[in-house]
Amino acid sequence: MRTPPATVALRGRLLWFIDDPATAGEAASLRQIEDGIVVVADGIIRACGPADEILARAGDGLAIIDHRPHLVLPGLIDAHIHFPQTRAIAAYGAELLEWLERHVFPEELRYGESAHAEPAARFFLDELLANGTTTAAVFCSVHPQSAEALFAEAARRNLRLVAGKVMMDRNAPAALCDTPERGYEESAALIGRWHGRARLRYAISPRFAITSSPAQLEAAGALARAHPDCPVQTHLAESLAEIRAVRRLFAEAGDYTGVYERFGLLGPKSLLGHCIHMSEREWGALNRAGAVAVFCPTSNLFLGSGLFDLAQARDPARPVRVAVATDIGAGTSYSMLATMGEAYKVCRMRGQALDPLAAFHMMTRGNAMALGLGDRIGALEPGREADIVVLDPRATPAMAHRLERAGGIVDELFTLITLGDERAVRETYVMGVPSKPRDRRPRAA
Amino acid sequence: MRTPPATVALRGRLLWFIDDPATAGEAASLRQIEDGIVVVADGIIRACGPADEILARAGDGLAIIDHRPHLVLPGLIDAHIHFPQTRAIAAYGAELLEWLERHVFPEELRYGESAHAEPAARFFLDELLANGTTTAAVFCSVHPQSAEALFAEAARRNLRLVAGKVMMDRNAPAALCDTPERGYEESAALIGRWHGRARLRYAISPRFAITSSPAQLEAAGALARAHPDCPVQTHLAESLAEIRAVRRLFAEAGDYTGVYERFGLLGPKSLLGHCIHMSEREWGALNRAGAVAVFCPTSNLFLGSGLFDLAQARDPARPVRVAVATDIGAGTSYSMLATMGEAYKVCRMRGQALDPLAAFHMMTRGNAMALGLGDRIGALEPGREADIVVLDPRATPAMAHRLERAGGIVDELFTLITLGDERAVRETYVMGVPSKPRDRRPRAA
């Protein structure tokens, strides 16, 4: 584990949220300091305020890293991503179920070998940090080795990470299946080894209702009851063919959400990937449970699964918590910025408008709260862990040119999600330690 | 105008098309040489073949630029882009008609001044070349000065460009309106000055039926008859509100396509942007006319206009020619690679599959033919102009990592459109002259 330096002070244009601008309005939610300083000691934010005030209090003793004129925000958070699918991105031509069989399962087979999983974990976390993502909720393969490799690498980097091995015991190649008992035991062992160690949390991860037998879902529910502080992550209502298959497999459940309800997998710690094709009853069930729907826009489009309906999810009559995510490898970008640009488009196709402030709230404080980490990360508040990203809204010629027209903060944020990607990430701090990987180009320019 | 060096030989993995893989199949359409050389003299391709054969014939006299292991393809072509909208990208929250009024028209107003249009033209062509785009069909603003600035800059760079000033005489700010007579005369004067000069062609460009009176469309039709070798470019059936407005303005026309038919604007040189919401009668009319529907995927999504239906357009019962385009500034990327990645997604949302070979055909030979330039550009054939792009399918760590799994040519091409952008463009040759702009980052990394 890297040791953070005793005290770091980051100067720049600070921006974070203390509430949701989509419901509380901009004034009550946005905190913005045009020339501000975040003081970090031992990896924790100790103070955050206007530069002149911080400097007057601190005297000359403060070693400042000056990021002006760039934006300094809480690190970005990805609420749903698959560690063993980084080489299954850009897999051609299939909808969800065929894509899993043809492209994903063959790839995930390799993660049973630590010799494969360990370098893959280094690539994976490099890629997240290069994109300004400091926390993610991650699905590993069925093999405990894959989770082991990822947790070990995340611990070395002192990352706050949520992850779990998938549980799956049917409708997949035999070598990718555990059993209800083995899935339970292996998950429980990983919880024992990693949950709460360093900054790591374990997510109980039944893949989805198609690849888990009723007995395995029962076991997953028992595991969740035994470890009530572990999040549960799975997939829900992504494609119509998937929903039809679930209906055949669980004829008695009524609907797809009902399957997870029945096995005790629907609660305030449940992260449900996709939720594209949902009935009113199902939205109501998520609302009552306090569960989280995870919106994965590039994946929606790439697999042609459908368009997430953000307004429907947030219907004030029964609002459902929403997180946002890349969903690599059905998703096509590691960048949460680019992902929110695509979220905007999915909303436009639904006749909705996703405003740039709401988008930035979603990928910082919103996702932190969805992952149950709102007290630890997602805001530049004293006491929070100093996971911080530095963004340059003028990182490329096209972005700089765009911002000649109107350079207000909302324009800058919208330019960052519409045209931005990892090139806009100037630095990524993990507990106050600069952690953006450098010199990763596989070949010279 | 830059003078090309007498002889250049580019070595790399050559790839181009001699027919459309979507209809003729891969074997009859794809030309691929794993170690090939393109010999260019005076800007024209003189020979193209396996390296050993070319070297045996040429002896030692050939000065070779070795691009191995990168791909060497015909330069990319963008069939619909707006020069005065580069600073209107990422304009928040509106559908087509409101977006034009709130964001685009105020921006286009500035292009009446050469002092604004000239540096903008330099940025615009830099951006195209940085993205590997060597030819585009471009809408300028209503001001002749904007077309003048763009043509002059394109001539200096020896680019093959198709462009025209928009004609619009109503439903826009007064300062953005010409009249039927002025629009005709200014366009005719620009044709006289620029059409056929250097590598330039003039496109007669009535913006769309909403902003041109019947008298102006009549004048545009007369101009097209007077200059039968000039392409005509306009917009058709992009959004439902637009279609309703056209119905009100042209109640007698029957449908939107009928408006252009009636004024003699629908022919084999017509480039019709969007064509999202079309009746069977309208598709049939495009088929009979030999007109081109221009698919603009990122723009479809960004404005929420709808999803272009490629299979419907190509219905073998009455196939319509299709081109592809960025449609900056409603589009969100200058990269034709990224644009085709989004085209794939739009097709997926329609339950269709756009294969990577078809995608590369569309942005090279397909677009060349759509622009009436199939005999000049779009293929690595002797006699063609040497507009060439060099692409690296492993340009970023995420792309290189993806291609560890399966590195065949189709995987490489699909990786380029799914994860690629200007970073994958290693060089852009214009008539054999290296022309990718360097050192454009507005600030040091």
Side-chain angles (χ1 to χ4, degrees), chain B residues 164-165 167 191 202-206 220 223-224 227 230-234 265:
Chain B
K165 85 164 208 93
M167 303 163 84
I191 291 171
Y202 192 86
I204 297 163
S205 308
L223 193 62
H227 300 279
C230 285
V232 171
Q233 60 181 355
T234 186
L265 294 166

Side-chain angles (χ1 to χ4, degrees), chain A residues 48-354:
Chain A
C48 182
D52 50 5
E53 289 178 20
I54 300 271
L55 291 171
R57 260 187 286 161
D60 294 337
L62 220 47
I64 289 174
I65 303 174
D66 195 344
H67 285 295
R68 291 176 298 173
H70 302 316
L71 296 168
V72 174
L73 295 94
L76 309 181
I77 301 169
D78 186 343
H80 184 117
I81 183 169
H82 293 264
F83 162 46
Q85 293 180 17
T86 53
R87 305 195 317 171
I89 298 178
Y92 172 70
E95 68 83 47
L96 174 65
L97 301 181
E98 187 192 349
W99 172 82
L100 282 172
E101 262 180 53
R102 273 178 47 194
H103 300 293
V104 169
F105 290 158
E107 179 63 19
E108 293 200 358
L109 277 170
R110 307 194 52 183
Y111 285 73
E113 293 170 42
S114 301
H116 183 81
E118 287 167 5
R122 290 194 291 276
F123 167 81
F124 181 77
L125 297 179
D126 271 354
E127 196 62 31
L128 294 190
L129 292 168
N131 282 282
T133 298
T134 48
T135 288
V138 187
F139 290 83
C140 302
S141 74
V142 73
H143 318 91
Q145 300 91 310
S146 72
E148 195 69 34
L150 185 67
F151 278 126
E153 185 62 26
R156 258 191 294 280
R157 296 170 189 235
N158 201 22
L159 285 179
R160 188 162 276 295
L161 203 77
V162 179
K165 83 161 210 99
V166 294
M167 303 162 83
M168 48 199 292
D169 67 348
R170 63 172 174 178
N171 294 320
L176 278 185
C177 286
D178 52 18
T179 64
E181 300 69 31
R182 225 174 70 222
Y184 185 102
E185 284 158 22
E186 288 173 348
S187 300
L190 286 163
I191 292 171
R193 281 178 58 74
W194 292 108
H195 184 67
R197 180 167 158 193
R199 303 176 70 206
L200 306 171
R201 298 205 177 172
Y202 192 87
I204 297 163
S205 307
R207 185 177 208 121
F208 69 152
I210 291 179
T211 49
S212 283
S213 65
Q216 179 160 72
L217 292 176
E218 184 71 52
L223 194 61
R225 280 190 300 280
H227 301 278
D229 55 337
C230 285
V232 171
Q233 61 183 355
T234 185
H235 297 78
L236 175 61
E238 180 174 2
S239 85
L240 296 173
E242 170 206 17
I243 292 169
R244 284 193 297 272
V246 171
R247 283 217 181 105
R248 280 194 299 274
L249 292 167
F250 297 91
E252 71 298 346
D255 56 37
Y256 196 162
T257 301
V259 175
Y260 297 135
E261 280 180 290
R262 174 181 156 200
F263 292 107
L265 294 167
L266 200 72
K269 290 188 165 288
S270 299
L271 300 164
L272 305 159
H274 301 297
C275 302
I276 297 173
H277 308 281
M278 300 276 284
S279 69
E280 263 306 302
R281 194 212 74 78
E282 293 180 284
W283 284 121
L286 264 58
N287 162 269
R288 284 189 300 279
V292 176
V294 186
F295 176 15
C296 307
T298 68
S299 165
N300 286 186
L301 295 170
F302 183 76
L303 294 181
S305 302
L307 301 166
F308 183 79
D309 193 331
L310 183 60
Q312 192 184 41
R314 285 180 164 164
D315 183 341
R318 43 118 199 89
V320 168
R321 298 162 69 202
V322 175
V324 287
T326 62
D327 193 27
I328 296 289
T332 55
S333 173
Y334 290 89
S335 166
M336 284 302 299
L337 299 174
T339 297
M340 293 315 292
E342 295 290 280
Y344 177 84
K345 293 176 181 173
V346 168
C347 289
R348 285 298 309 145
M349 292 301 299
R350 289 277 194 191
Q352 301 165 20
L354 173 63

Side-chain angles (χ1 to χ4, degrees), chain B residues 237-318:
Chain B
E238 180 173 3
S239 86
L240 296 173
E242 171 205 18
I243 292 169
R244 284 192 297 272
V246 171
R247 285 216 179 106
R248 280 193 300 274
L249 293 167
F250 297 90
E252 72 296 349
D255 56 38
Y256 196 163
T257 300
V259 176
Y260 297 136
E261 279 180 291
R262 173 181 155 198
F263 294 107
L265 294 166
L266 200 72
K269 289 186 166 292
S270 300
L271 299 164
L272 304 159
H274 302 297
C275 302
I276 297 173
H277 308 283
M278 300 276 284
S279 68
E280 262 307 301
R281 195 213 73 78
E282 292 180 285
W283 285 123
L286 265 59
N287 162 268
R288 284 188 301 278
V292 175
V294 187
F295 176 16
C296 308
T298 69
S299 166
N300 286 187
L301 296 169
F302 182 76
L303 294 180
S305 302
L307 300 167
F308 182 80
D309 193 331
L310 184 60
Q312 193 184 39
R314 287 182 163 162
D315 183 341
R318 44 119 199 86

Side-chain angles (χ1 to χ4, degrees), chain A residues 81 85-92 99 123 127 131 298-299 302 326-336 338-339 342 419-423 440-442, chain B residues 131 333 335-345 356 359-360 363 391-406 410-425:
Chain A
I81 183 169
Q85 293 180 17
T86 53
R87 305 195 317 171
I89 298 178
Y92 172 70
W99 172 82
F123 167 81
E127 196 62 31
N131 282 282
T298 68
S299 165
F302 183 76
T326 62
D327 193 27
I328 296 289
T332 55
S333 173
Y334 290 89
S335 166
M336 284 302 299
T339 297
E342 295 290 280
L419 299 176
D421 55 32
E422 67 186 285
R423 287 171 286 183
R440 298 177 64 230
R441 279 185 68 87
Chain B
N131 282 281
S333 173
S335 166
M336 284 302 299
L337 299 174
T339 297
M340 293 315 294
E342 295 290 278
Y344 177 85
K345 293 176 180 173
F360 272 82
M363 57 180 148
L391 299 178
D392 178 3
R394 292 167 180 80
T396 69
M399 294 168 79
H401 181 78
R402 158 67 181 86
L403 287 170
E404 287 171 11
R405 180 169 66 95
V410 171
D411 281 285
E412 290 184 304
L413 297 180
F414 198 49
T415 296
L416 277 167
I417 66 173
T418 307
L419 299 175
D421 54 32
E422 66 186 285
R423 288 171 285 183
V425 177

